[in-house]
Coordinates of all heavy atoms in Angstrom, one line a residue:
H1304 N 1.8 12.3 5.0 CA 1.3 11.2 4.2 C 0.0 10.6 4.9 O -1.0 10.4 4.2 CB 2.3 10.1 4.1 CG 2.0 9.1 3.0 ND1 2.9 8.1 2.6 CD2 0.9 9.0 2.2 CE1 2.3 7.4 1.7 NE2 1.2 7.9 1.4
Y1312 N -8.1 11.6 1.3 CA -8.9 10.5 0.6 C -10.1 10.1 1.3 O -11.2 9.9 0.7 CB -8.0 9.3 0.4 CG -6.7 9.5 -0.4 CD1 -5.5 9.0 0.1 CD2 -6.8 10.1 -1.7 CE1 -4.3 9.2 -0.7 CE2 -5.6 10.2 -2.4 CZ -4.4 9.8 -1.9 OH -3.2 10.0 -2.6
Q1352 N -7.6 4.5 -2.7 CA -6.5 5.0 -1.9 C -6.7 4.8 -0.4 O -5.8 4.5 0.3 CB -6.3 6.5 -2.3 CG -5.6 6.6 -3.6 CD -4.1 6.1 -3.6 OE1 -3.9 4.9 -3.5 NE2 -3.2 7.0 -3.5
H1356 N -4.0 2.5 1.6 CA -3.2 3.1 2.7 C -3.5 2.3 4.0 O -2.6 2.2 4.9 CB -3.4 4.6 2.9 CG -2.8 5.4 1.8 ND1 -3.3 5.6 0.6 CD2 -1.5 6.0 1.8 CE1 -2.5 6.3 -0.2 NE2 -1.4 6.6 0.5
W1405 N 1.4 1.7 -7.2 CA 1.7 0.7 -6.1 C 2.3 -0.5 -6.6 O 2.0 -1.0 -7.8 CB 0.4 0.3 -5.4 CG -0.3 1.5 -4.7 CD1 -1.0 2.5 -5.2 CD2 -0.3 1.7 -3.2 NE1 -1.4 3.4 -4.2 CE2 -1.0 2.9 -3.0 CE3 0.3 1.0 -2.2 CZ2 -1.2 3.4 -1.7 CZ3 0.2 1.6 -0.9 CH2 -0.6 2.8 -0.7
D1438 N 3.5 1.9 -1.5 CA 3.1 3.1 -2.2 C 4.3 3.7 -2.9 O 5.3 4.0 -2.2 CB 2.6 4.1 -1.0 CG 1.9 5.3 -1.6 OD1 2.2 5.7 -2.7 OD2 1.2 6.0 -0.8
W1440 N 3.9 6.5 -4.9 CA 3.6 7.9 -5.2 C 4.8 8.7 -4.6 O 5.3 8.3 -3.6 CB 2.3 8.3 -4.5 CG 1.0 7.9 -5.1 CD1 0.7 6.6 -5.4 CD2 -0.1 8.7 -5.5 NE1 -0.6 6.5 -5.9 CE2 -1.1 7.8 -6.0 CE3 -0.3 10.0 -5.5 CZ2 -2.3 8.3 -6.5 CZ3 -1.5 10.5 -6.0 CH2 -2.5 9.6 -6.5
H1442 N 4.8 11.3 -2.9 CA 4.6 11.7 -1.6 C 5.0 10.7 -0.5 O 5.2 11.1 0.6 CB 3.1 12.2 -1.4 CG 2.1 11.1 -1.4 ND1 0.9 11.2 -2.1 CD2 2.0 9.8 -0.9 CE1 0.2 10.1 -2.0 NE2 0.9 9.2 -1.3
Ligands
MN3_322 MN1 0.1 7.5 -0.5

Side-chain angles (χ1 to χ4, degrees):
H1304 195 177
Y1312 299 131
Q1352 282 292 72
H1356 286 84
W1405 294 76
D1438 189 341
W1440 286 55
H1442 66 224

